[in-house]
Amino acid sequence: MSKERLKELRELLTRYNYEYHVLDKPTIPDSEYDQLFRELQDLEAKYPELDDPSSPTKKVGYEVLESFNKVVHDRPMLSLGNVFSYEELKDWARKIEEVFPKVEYCVEYKIDGLAMSLIYEDGLFRQAVTRGDGVEGEDVTSNVRTIKSIPLKIDYTQRYDIRGEVYMPKKAFERVNSQRRADGEEEFANPRNAAAGSIRQLDSRIAASRGLDGFWYHVPEDPNASNHYDSLMYARKLGFKVNDTIRLYDNIEDVWKRIEETAGIRHDLPYEIDGMVIKVNDYRQQETLGFTSRIPKWAIAYKFPAEEARTKVEDMFITVGRTGKCTPNARFEPVKVAGTTISYATLHNEDYIKEKDIRIGDTIIVRKAGDIIPEVVRAIRENRDGSQVPFEFPKFCPVCGGKLVRYEDEAAHFCINTDCEARLVFGIAHFASRDAMNIDGLGEKKVQAFFNEGILRSFEDIYTLFNKKDIILNIDKFGLKSYENLVEAIENSKKNSLERLLFGLGIRQVGEKAARILASSFRTMDGLMNASLEDLSAIKDIGPITAQGIVDFFKDENNQRIINELKLLGLNMEYIDNSVSSDNPFAGKTVVLTGTLSIYSRKEATELLENMGANVAGSVSKNTDYVIYGEAAGSKLTKANELGVKALSEEEFRNML
Ligand code: IVH
């Protein structure tokens, strides 16, 4: 019965997935989908023998690879020739029309992502391979499987090789980058790099979290059609996401009109396109025209000119982030590029400025990288008149005057003064931010205002702001209601689960995800503070650099003092597991603790178990379900072994949490 339900759920969820991600027409609310998805996950856990790589649950990512295997393509994956003007396009068409007076052109968006070949056998998704050098690519199946719109089953049993582009929608790109910013990681320069970087991840759960998508635009030598357009319509029927802006034209003038039209609307699309692709539709004509060694003669890419503008650098200045990282920026005369006005661009670091030789006063070309982030392309050296000044990277922090340090192997300079105003203000604002302690009403501007008044200089100060009513109410535009709301939000934040505090503290390398893993593994601040490098490295998903960062952070006496004060101020220092329900392994079980525990104290371990619904008993009997043992465990452990009671080391216990 439930096996049938399992099959039924797989089919249902596959259909809902298709309706949502391919047709863009969801037919059930998200909550219902989530509920069915969980039901399927539970059934799959119950019947592991029914494992199926094409189950919709596999879209969350489940494989972690050591490296990607190389795969030779059935047929080479070719690139396209480029044209950049109407003249060049007409030339290309003229040569074709000399051979065939009547030609039908299929016109498509040139999606800016990375080329991918998908292989299906016996109706099942088998492999996804990158283009590589065109002959041989890399097997990235485990990552591509997680793309929601890609069918894992098709109603076609012969081997099917469909090619297209994996891309990152603009919204996903912004989300991924803002997450990376919050985690102190380097941002992706554009959606194409972000897509490529995500596909190169060995852990498919990371790729799954990046919101990638795909458009499919080429089936080499498709036996199901006599022309390209029909072959794509066939692919669409099989469930592939084929871009619905594809159109046929019978003359190149109309093709050009279409290109011009698209140039005007391309910035409004939810994904990046960097041109249009024009293909001779008829397969027989394609065959006659053939290929050169590298590119088909029957297709061409028209590349949109990068939208660039010319302006003048007015100034260069440094911004200091919460980690102390110093980023140089250019301020220039405002110009309009790709639909919006821009006046600032990051210059990344000292090497970047030197390499591009950008000077204050230079005339520069700017554009929007991936149409989103302003970027300086180059300085026009011919325009120099001698008044331009090279930028001297400062030796001291522009905010606090502290010495700047550039570590070996790092391109960035850092202000290492932990009392630097910029570090404090941004650090406190980060602590209070939504994904950290979630104190509504304590954004950057407020933190700066309180800082200026001298009432907010540390995390601890947040929790004494309720004492500063008079000062706060004197600050411009700060009303009584805002003050009361703020005090309430601060009070509520004390009850947050441990991971929020860990993320808020701004430990190097510890982003939101690592904070969650640490909190759920160690459960208490003390447990984490006492963890050794080995304890930390033993945790899946915590790499050696992060582990070292954590050990260093907790070794620092000042950090110990801060945590102690926050504890005294009443902040919760424990992990609150919202997912605790009867499905944890200890719910309803009788557990005995024995020996000297080192990760947790007796009290902590007992609390953890009781919170999970376990009964913690003092002696071992045949009714005992688990014995958790530490150092120098004696008779209780022996008895457990005799009775066949499951014994868990403290470490195994932690891993089960
Ligand atoms: S057709 C044999 N169609 O652009 C024909 N390519 O610059 C193979 N691309 O390698 C390619 N959108 O990665 C084709 N609608 C589209 C495309 C497209 C983007 C990419 C593809 C190709 C590159 C060439």
Side-chain angles (χ1 to χ4, degrees):
M1 184 56 205
S2 43
K3 286 190 185 177
E4 276 160 30
R5 174 68 177 158
L6 182 150
K7 276 181 77 184
E8 181 192 32
L9 282 170
R10 280 182 180 163
E11 277 163 26
L12 263 179
L13 289 167
T14 300
R15 200 184 82 215
Y16 293 146
N17 238 337
Y18 171 72
E19 288 166 346
Y20 186 103
H21 294 284
V22 181
L23 302 183
D24 208 6
K25 286 197 187 83
T27 51
I28 56 160
D30 289 358
S31 56
E32 204 171 309
Y33 180 92
D34 293 344
Q35 201 182 336
L36 295 173
F37 194 88
R38 271 196 299 271
E39 189 186 345
L40 176 57
Q41 278 179 320
D42 289 347
L43 284 174
E44 288 184 342
K46 203 162 150 198
Y47 300 109
E49 71 277 16
L50 298 183
D51 184 49
D52 179 355
S54 55
S55 166
T57 55
K58 304 292 186 187
K59 295 250 172 217
V60 294
Y62 65 105
E63 283 172 300
V64 183
L65 305 179
E66 304 247 305
S67 63
F68 297 119
N69 289 330
K70 295 262 193 252
V71 179
V72 175
H73 297 294
D74 287 3
R75 294 179 189 78
M77 272 182 90
L78 301 172
S79 178
L80 293 173
N82 291 321
V83 290
F84 296 92
S85 66
Y86 185 28
E87 296 313 310
E88 288 176 340
L89 179 66
K90 268 198 300 200
D91 259 4
W92 172 78
R94 188 177 40 77
K95 284 185 205 137
I96 291 170
E97 287 168 23
E98 276 168 8
V99 185
F100 304 107
K102 247 175 86 68
V103 182
E104 208 173 20
Y105 298 105
C106 187
V107 177
E108 306 168 8
Y109 287 168
K110 186 169 181 319
I111 312 294
D112 200 8
L114 68 153
M116 192 69 66
S117 148
L118 307 179
I119 306 288
Y120 291 75
E121 278 169 346
D122 305 319
L124 294 177
F125 170 64
R126 291 277 186 226
Q127 209 169 40
V129 188
T130 61
R131 178 164 63 199
D133 61 8
V135 175
E136 187 183 63
E138 283 181 322
D139 180 341
V140 290
T141 312
S142 57
N143 287 336
V144 173
R145 191 200 310 279
T146 67
I147 297 176
K148 300 281 199 310
S149 64
I150 291 182
L152 299 179
K153 264 189 187 151
I154 56 173
D155 191 10
Y156 185 73
T157 50
Q158 315 210 0
R159 188 177 167 90
Y160 191 66
D161 177 356
I162 186 165
R163 292 161 180 196
E165 203 85 354
V166 167
Y167 67 94
M168 188 177 280
K170 290 177 186 168
K171 271 223 172 85
F173 173 71
E174 277 157 27
R175 178 177 56 77
V176 167
N177 259 358
S178 82
Q179 182 68 49
R180 290 174 79 81
R181 219 172 11 254
D183 290 356
E185 290 176 64
E186 191 87 26
E187 289 175 51
F188 289 115
N190 55 51
R192 180 164 33 82
N193 287 0
S198 307
I199 285 296
R200 240 174 263 127
Q201 293 289 331
L202 292 167
D203 183 341
S204 59
R205 286 164 302 182
I206 301 183
S209 71
R210 296 277 172 86
L212 296 172
D213 209 338
F215 277 125
W216 307 96
Y217 50 63
H218 183 50
V219 181
E221 294 165 44
D222 189 354
N224 305 294
S226 62
N227 64 57
H228 173 67
Y229 187 87
D230 287 351
S231 110
L232 293 188
M233 293 309 118
Y234 188 83
R236 180 179 285 162
K237 271 225 305 269
L238 289 178
F240 291 94
K241 185 162 163 170
V242 172
N243 195 296
D244 56 14
T245 62
I246 294 172
R247 298 281 181 281
L248 292 170
Y249 297 87
D250 61 10
N251 67 80
I252 206 72
E253 291 76 25
D254 284 351
V255 170
W256 181 249
K257 268 194 218 142
R258 173 72 195 292
I259 291 176
E260 285 189 310
E261 261 167 45
T262 310
I265 57 114
R266 72 168 169 127
H267 302 303
D268 305 327
L269 296 171
Y271 45 84
E272 294 283 333
I273 63 172
D274 58 341
M276 304 286 273
V277 180
I278 303 99
K279 300 172 182 170
V280 171
N281 193 37
D282 186 81
Y283 275 171
R284 288 222 302 268
Q285 291 184 344
Q286 285 190 4
E287 210 176 313
T288 311
L289 292 164
F291 298 86
T292 69
S293 62
R294 207 178 47 85
I295 53 171
K297 290 190 193 162
W298 47 264
I300 197 91
Y302 168 80
K303 290 282 246 333
F304 291 127
E307 278 190 59
E308 296 180 342
R310 191 185 269 248
T311 178
K312 203 168 163 195
V313 181
E314 293 176 331
D315 197 10
M316 291 191 204
F317 63 96
I318 303 282
T319 46
V320 186
R322 74 178 160 91
T323 59
K325 186 170 169 181
C326 296
T327 308
N329 302 274
R331 196 186 75 223
F332 41 80
E333 289 168 3
V335 273
K336 204 162 176 189
V337 188
T340 53
T341 301
I342 55 174
S343 50
Y344 295 93
T346 170
L347 295 171
H348 303 287
N349 54 55
E350 185 179 23
D351 296 346
Y352 183 91
I353 302 175
K354 283 214 175 107
E355 197 185 301
K356 297 218 164 197
D357 187 19
I358 304 164
R359 304 181 185 185
I360 299 168
D362 260 342
T363 304
I364 52 166
I365 303 290
V366 290
R367 69 164 172 224
K368 287 214 241 146
D371 262 355
I372 295 171
I373 304 168
E375 178 182 82
V376 178
V377 183
R378 67 193 154 88
I380 307 179
R381 295 193 198 152
E382 306 83 79
N383 277 29
R384 285 191 183 149
D385 58 10
S387 68
Q388 286 71 20
V389 210
F391 182 64
E392 278 270 336
F393 208 96
K395 301 217 165 1
F396 300 97
C397 173
V399 180
C400 71
K403 207 165 160 13
L404 297 188
V405 178
R406 185 173 168 178
Y407 300 107
E408 227 174 287
D409 297 334
E410 287 230 38
H413 286 71
F414 284 87
C415 166
I416 51 165
N417 170 17
T418 45
D419 289 329
C420 170
E421 176 172 337
R423 292 188 61 173
L424 290 176
V425 169
F426 292 130
I428 295 170
H430 167 75
F431 183 92
S433 66
R434 176 136 38 108
D435 294 330
M437 294 300 274
N438 192 21
I439 304 176
D440 204 18
L442 200 56
E444 255 166 50
K445 284 204 181 101
K446 296 270 164 53
V447 174
Q448 184 71 61
F450 294 168
F451 186 95
N452 295 345
E453 292 296 327
I455 54 173
L456 182 54
R457 305 244 149 165
S458 66
F459 300 149
E460 305 89 282
D461 285 349
I462 296 176
Y463 296 92
T464 54
L465 282 177
F466 70 91
N467 269 335
K468 313 282 169 20
K469 186 171 172 182
D470 293 346
I471 304 177
I472 292 177
L473 290 183
N474 256 332
I475 297 174
D476 198 22
K477 295 204 194 105
F478 217 99
L480 183 62
K481 191 79 203 136
S482 321
Y483 165 80
E484 284 170 356
N485 288 343
L486 177 63
V487 169
E488 192 183 329
I490 292 173
E491 195 54 31
N492 284 339
S493 77
K494 291 182 180 173
K495 297 185 221 119
N496 284 337
S497 179
L498 177 62
E499 67 277 15
R500 286 184 170 274
L501 176 58
L502 289 178
F503 178 50
L505 287 171
I507 306 168
R508 245 187 120 160
Q509 308 284 345
V510 177
E512 224 184 319
K513 186 175 157 209
R516 221 175 311 121
I517 294 169
L518 292 169
S520 64
S521 305
F522 290 93
R523 300 267 152 173
T524 66
M525 183 65 95
D526 288 343
L528 177 60
M529 287 175 90
N530 292 329
S532 66
L533 194 59
E534 292 76 55
D535 293 337
L536 289 159
S537 312
I539 293 181
K540 201 166 159 296
D541 292 326
I542 300 290
I545 300 175
T546 310
Q548 190 61 55
I550 296 163
V551 170
D552 292 346
F553 181 87
F554 288 116
K555 240 195 325 207
D556 183 297
E557 278 178 17
N558 192 40
N559 292 332
Q560 292 176 6
R561 181 192 53 76
I562 293 171
I563 290 165
N564 211 21
E565 281 185 28
L566 291 175
K567 206 184 274 180
L568 293 174
L569 285 161
L571 272 74
N572 170 50
M573 298 276 158
E574 289 178 14
Y575 177 60
I576 302 169
D577 192 348
N578 288 323
S579 66
V580 170
S581 63
S582 53
D583 59 7
N584 78 70
F586 298 102
K589 303 284 189 228
T590 301
V591 185
V592 173
L593 300 169
T594 180
T596 316
L597 302 182
S598 52
I599 303 177
Y600 309 102
S601 67
R602 263 303 159 100
K603 186 163 159 273
E604 281 169 346
T606 307
E607 263 173 25
L608 286 172
L609 285 161
E610 285 176 349
N611 286 341
M612 287 186 287
N615 166 35
V616 181
S619 61
V620 180
S621 75
K622 63 179 187 343
N623 294 328
T624 311
D625 294 294
Y626 294 105
V627 167
I628 297 169
Y629 63 90
E631 286 283 309
S635 62
K636 286 184 192 169
L637 183 58
T638 318
K639 186 154 182 207
N641 287 334
E642 279 166 15
L643 290 172
V645 171
K646 180 126 186 73
L648 299 171
S649 69
E650 198 183 357
E651 186 134 62
E652 284 171 316
F653 167 56
R654 187 190 62 205
N655 291 340
M656 281 170 79
L657 302 173

